[in-house]
Amino acid sequence: MQKTEWFEEIYNDSVGLKIKIKNKIFSQKSDFQQVDIYETFSHGKMLTHDGLVMATEKDEHIYHEMIAHVPLFTHPNPKKVLIIGGGDGGTLREVLRHESIEKCVMVEIDPLVVKACEEHLNQTSCEFKNPKAQIIIDDGVKFAKNCKETFDVAIIDSSDPIGPATPLFNENFYKDIFNLLNTDGIVTSQCESPYYHFEMQKVLLSILNKKFKKTHIYNYSNQSYPSGYWSFSYASKGLCPFKDLNIQKVKKFSFNFKYYNEDIHRGAFMLPNFMRESLVEFLSPLPEVKF
Ligand code: SPD
């Protein structure tokens, strides 16, 4: 009988995720990490960095819609967007669905991620050649520090805070992001899982809260990250993700999202008690919602 091959992501010494694989279609080590793409039975193609799932064809749209459209439908007229990380291209694809966008700069540290996705993961990398996109291979921390341009929205689409993404969870980096954002600028960042990385979430929110007028965290569920319950941080120089959300714009949008809508947008900011209570000192109040 043929041996079944399984991909395993180990979360800690007693929990992990197993996905049955058909075959490995890309496998190379860069200066930063091991990059693999698998063909799976249940999740389509799956990108991993150092053995951690980054994106699968089955559910990447959820993460990418939520990291991109929450700030883009809150900002009244986003024209320039900066993505730090995001080498698979999924966030870029979502950003460019907005007609107001004139330019989107994506700064990815690892050229191997871009190459692997360009060759094998067209579902996410499909907009790399869009004339509004500028792909820069560079260290996002260095880029933010030396950046002379300003942006309406910054999206920190990093991998987990181990390996090359570690400095993206640092206070100095967010000072530089603050400085490159226009008045009313918004930054959203991938912020791990409240069930596995709560201490890290507190650290990131406390960093944001020191600098930005509005700080929030919002949650969504997917199928392939630890616990299936994942968060993004939201920070802005002034815009509130509730009051400033343009509901009519979401409803009339030319593209039919698979996950994001105006109710999901607002509902994502409703926190379970354990988060609400422990994070209260770092979060801005939200206007009361009437049901
Ligand atoms: N543990 C998984 C965390 C992945 C976060 N980033 C994914 C990048 C997708 N563009």
Side-chain angles (χ1 to χ4, degrees):
M1 202 167 69
Q2 204 191 343
K3 194 173 148 278
T4 305
E5 297 280 355
W6 292 87
F7 164 86
E8 286 186 13
E9 178 175 332
I10 308 298
Y11 299 159
N12 59 34
D13 56 12
S14 51
V15 190
L17 167 80
K18 263 176 92 165
I19 295 181
K20 198 170 165 182
I21 56 168
K22 280 187 194 163
N23 49 55
K24 204 183 237 191
I25 52 185
F26 184 92
S27 184
Q28 268 185 51
K29 199 168 168 52
S30 70
D31 290 344
F32 304 98
Q33 58 210 339
Q34 175 67 38
V35 178
D36 296 302
I37 300 182
Y38 299 88
E39 181 72 52
T40 74
F41 286 93
S42 54
H43 288 58
K45 289 182 197 161
M46 175 172 79
L47 168 72
T48 68
H49 295 176
D50 284 337
L52 305 177
V53 179
M54 290 296 123
T56 81
E57 283 182 325
K58 185 168 192 170
D59 68 348
E60 56 79 16
H61 63 280
I62 308 175
Y63 173 101
H64 293 123
E65 287 181 13
M66 289 300 282
I67 201 170
H69 300 307
V70 166
L72 291 172
F73 281 111
T74 300
H75 195 287
N77 190 21
K79 290 185 175 155
K80 282 180 68 189
V81 175
L82 171 67
I83 300 169
I84 301 284
D88 54 65
T91 299
L92 176 70
R93 178 195 66 206
E94 294 306 315
V95 168
L96 292 175
R97 294 197 197 288
H98 289 252
E99 275 173 19
S100 65
I101 302 302
E102 292 169 1
K103 180 178 179 184
C104 183
V105 178
M106 182 186 110
V107 185
E108 166 61 51
I109 197 168
D110 192 345
L112 188 62
V113 175
V114 174
K115 171 178 140 58
C117 295
E118 228 168 9
E119 286 173 9
H120 301 285
L121 208 55
N122 186 254
Q123 183 172 310
T124 56
S125 64
C126 49
E127 296 294 345
F128 283 164
K129 300 236 163 8
N130 188 309
K132 291 180 179 178
Q134 186 182 350
I135 315 292
I136 297 177
I137 301 298
D138 198 0
D139 176 356
V141 172
K142 214 173 73 196
F143 179 90
K145 192 168 202 53
N146 301 324
C147 186
K148 300 280 177 281
E149 267 184 273
T150 57
F151 295 86
D152 302 308
V153 170
I155 300 177
I156 316 304
D157 180 9
S158 71
S159 45
D160 302 283
I162 42 175
T166 314
L168 300 179
F169 293 80
N170 176 292
E171 185 160 0
N172 288 332
F173 171 64
Y174 278 98
K175 282 185 188 158
D176 295 329
I177 291 294
F178 182 91
N179 291 335
L180 60 74
L181 283 172
N182 291 325
T183 324
D184 281 346
I186 304 173
V187 54
T188 52
S189 313
Q190 92 83 1
C191 192
E192 302 288 296
S193 167
Y195 292 133
Y196 283 99
H197 318 99
F198 200 40
E199 290 312 309
M200 185 248 106
Q201 293 193 330
K202 284 187 199 164
V203 172
L204 182 57
L205 290 170
S206 74
I207 290 172
L208 293 168
N209 188 246
K210 277 189 217 158
K211 206 70 200 149
F212 289 84
K213 196 159 157 200
K214 308 270 185 203
T215 311
H216 299 281
I217 187 163
Y218 60 102
N219 299 320
Y220 76 97
S221 70
N222 79 356
Q223 297 179 37
S224 45
Y225 292 168
S227 83
Y229 194 50
W230 209 254
S231 310
F232 296 111
S233 63
Y234 171 104
S236 170
K237 292 187 174 181
L239 294 168
C240 166
F242 264 46
K243 261 197 359 246
D244 295 299
L245 166 66
N246 189 335
I247 294 176
Q248 288 316 314
K249 193 167 156 190
V250 181
K251 285 186 172 168
K252 289 193 197 130
F253 203 67
S254 52
F255 185 81
N256 208 357
F257 303 118
K258 279 196 264 178
Y259 188 88
Y260 177 86
N261 61 42
E262 67 286 1
D263 293 333
I264 285 284
H265 178 123
R266 288 171 292 181
F269 288 86
M270 303 287 141
L271 302 179
N273 283 345
F274 78 93
M275 291 183 80
R276 194 154 73 173
E277 284 157 17
S278 315
L279 300 176
V280 66
E281 63 186 298
F282 311 119
L283 301 179
S284 311
L286 282 167
E288 216 175 291
V289 196
K290 294 202 175 45
F291 291 99

